[in-house]
Amino acid sequence: MLKPSRIIQEVIFDDLGPLSISDLIKMPRAGWEALRAGITDHRSGKPGLIARCLLCQGDVYIRTAKNKPLFAHYAGSNPSCPWFTGDNQKPDNVRAGQYQGRQESEAHRRMCDLIEELAKADSRYVKSAVDAYLPPTKADFGRYPDVLIEWEGVGEFAIEYQMSHTFQTEVSQRCVHYEREGIPLLWVLSSFDTNHIPQAVSDVVHRHRGNAFVMDQQAVQASRETKTLVFNCYLAEGEGYAPPILVRFDALTIPNTKLPYYEDRQASAMLEEVNARRLPYFKALRRWGDRMKNLDIDELEQFPERQRIDRLVAAAFSLVADAAGKPENFASDHPNTAGMMNTYQNSGSLAPYAALLTTLIQNTAAKKVLRSSVGDHLKRSIVGHRKGDIVQVDETSPEWTLLKELFPEALDPFVRRRLSDLGMLPAWAL
Ligand SMILES: [Zn+2]
């Protein structure tokens, strides 16, 4: 008899769709950490992400083992699920319970006092408190921020100083709390070893968009010299980190989540990567003067119907150019994209992609074009599909996959959601 797999192989995210364990593992760290944070935040009371086991529909979270992400059932899941691993896999919040209570070690208290002292040197300093109860204005209960500082022109600023591990549940609850209260929250680390980053530390750095803020000797000295709070800041670079730079607290950007950052190393990295992926296509489209020739792109070689794919790519770029407010028809000599689209739906050359192109348009700023003749032509092709005249490519087709890679802002629900959560979804994809 085959031994049943004890690993959750696939989950379904509400609104986003399915994700397999292999796709999860293939994601960049910041990608799965965003899902991990989103799921925990939802449990902490902020509308976040919900993921369910494909087999038992039980809620799952993302845990880590040997520095790799895994799906795990939350406690209380159905033990008869073939992917159930038993109650020994306790979620972070159970483990966090062991660490709850305020572990005010001497060193921790001294560091908090030091941060307060450094803040007091700033001429904008109004008042501060270490480990004092901060009553809530919107939540049911308050919190004890490690350090709460009020600066003129900046307002209140909470600092949590981390010497040891704080579990994801606790991190999430505090992030959600301060966001709700509208108070910026900065997680400050005592040290940061780029060769060994425990998941609990990585979770905190992730919250600050790939910025690790460290109060080390250098930062203390710089704070004293400049008479304000200065941190040593490690910025994520690829899967690693750039050498640290000294960063003043007032140089930080405070987004809606109230989790400050010096440089966004998540959304910007994603967008840069996608732009780099698109660049050769852009160049090829510009060179594509004679529309009878093939686009000079290696990846397209795999398609037997090369000309049709070239046209699809050119049409997609044209639609996105329209959505970006820079209309340009890359696919034909028609004066505009609408003329091109209608002709190619009529002639049938883009008809198999009507569903794909409709989805693309729906997720762009140009979605109203679907209410025009373009929408009518696309609908006709899709209806033709139901009648058996035209076969529509689906999400598993190489064509859909290709456009999803080129325009993930519109066609990849996971990328879309992440950029949206970071407030960085480009205007054309809104
Ligand atoms: Zn299950």
Side-chain angles (χ1 to χ4, degrees), residues 367-402:
K367 50 180 81 62
K368 65 176 188 298
V369 80
L370 289 173
R371 293 200 297 269
S372 70
S373 62
V374 172
D376 296 338
H377 283 88
L378 287 167
K379 256 180 242 156
R380 225 168 288 150
S381 297
I382 295 170
V383 171
H385 168 71
R386 284 192 208 112
K387 287 196 249 153
D389 302 339
I390 305 159
V391 176
Q392 289 295 310
V393 301
D394 67 12
E395 292 184 31
T396 60
S397 65
E399 293 95 329
W400 198 301
T401 308
L402 174 67

Side-chain angles (χ1 to χ4, degrees), residues 157-392:
F157 208 93
I159 290 176
E160 292 288 346
Y161 182 73
Q162 293 310 309
M163 290 187 57
S164 55
H165 298 179
T166 306
F167 288 96
Q168 170 76 341
T169 314
E170 185 59 24
V171 170
S172 166
Q173 283 168 359
R174 292 193 205 183
C175 291
V176 169
H177 177 82
Y178 288 106
E179 179 182 347
R180 199 181 284 152
E181 293 288 315
I183 299 173
L185 167 63
L186 194 70
W187 294 90
V188 176
L189 308 164
S190 57
S191 62
F192 191 66
D193 176 359
T194 53
N195 293 315
H196 173 70
I197 305 170
Q199 188 56 45
V201 170
S202 193
D203 284 335
V204 163
V205 175
H206 178 84
R207 299 284 182 163
H208 291 297
R209 303 193 180 201
N211 294 199
F213 298 102
V214 185
M215 185 53 87
D216 53 13
Q217 269 310 313
Q218 223 190 337
V220 171
Q221 204 187 329
S223 297
R224 291 218 162 99
E225 280 166 11
T226 49
K227 294 193 187 309
T228 191
L229 267 188
V230 178
F231 302 99
N232 226 353
C233 176
Y234 292 73
L235 297 166
E237 204 169 70
E239 294 286 294
Y241 287 83
I245 47 170
L246 290 165
V247 169
R248 297 164 59 105
F249 92 93
D250 56 8
L252 303 180
T253 299
I254 301 168
N256 288 340
T257 56
K258 298 291 169 193
L259 290 157
Y261 59 89
Y262 180 63
E263 273 183 34
D264 178 333
R265 289 300 174 111
Q266 292 172 348
S268 56
M270 288 168 80
L271 292 170
E272 269 166 36
E273 198 215 320
V274 176
N275 284 332
R277 210 180 298 161
R278 277 197 287 257
L279 191 62
Y281 289 84
F282 249 126
K283 286 185 177 159
L285 286 166
R286 292 247 182 271
R287 284 197 303 268
W288 203 34
D290 178 356
R291 309 252 189 255
M292 295 308 286
K293 273 196 218 146
N294 285 344
L295 274 180
D296 184 19
I297 294 284
D298 290 345
E299 290 103 282
L300 298 180
E301 298 293 348
Q302 52 167 314
F303 293 96
E305 283 187 280
R306 184 58 204 274
Q307 262 188 16
R308 185 180 270 195
I309 300 298
D310 289 345
R311 187 166 283 169
L312 170 66
V313 169
F317 271 88
S318 310
L319 289 166
V320 170
D322 277 8
K326 295 175 195 160
E328 182 162 0
N329 177 12
F330 295 102
S332 73
D333 294 329
H334 296 92
N336 54 41
T337 305
M340 174 274 292
M341 285 287 289
N342 291 345
T343 303
Y344 289 156
Q345 289 298 324
N346 268 344
S347 70
S349 71
L350 287 184
Y353 310 123
L356 167 56
L357 292 169
T358 302
T359 306
L360 175 66
I361 296 168
Q362 258 161 2
N363 290 333
T364 70
K367 50 180 81 62
K368 65 176 188 298
V369 80
L370 289 173
R371 293 200 297 269
S372 70
S373 62
V374 172
D376 296 338
H377 283 88
L378 287 167
K379 256 180 242 156
R380 225 168 288 150
S381 297
I382 295 170
V383 171
H385 168 71
R386 284 192 208 112
K387 287 196 249 153
D389 302 339
I390 305 159
V391 176
Q392 289 295 310

Side-chain angles (χ1 to χ4, degrees), residues 53 56 73 81:
C53 169
C56 72
H73 292 98
C81 176

Side-chain angles (χ1 to χ4, degrees), residues 8 11 43 51-61 71-91:
I8 300 179
V11 307
R43 289 243 156 178
R52 301 172 207 277
C53 169
L54 189 72
L55 292 190
C56 72
Q57 305 301 311
D59 283 4
V60 305
Y61 64 101
F71 298 120
H73 292 98
Y74 268 109
S77 289
N78 184 352
S80 63
C81 176
W83 293 336
F84 188 74
T85 35
D87 269 334
N88 57 332
Q89 301 289 358
K90 289 181 182 166

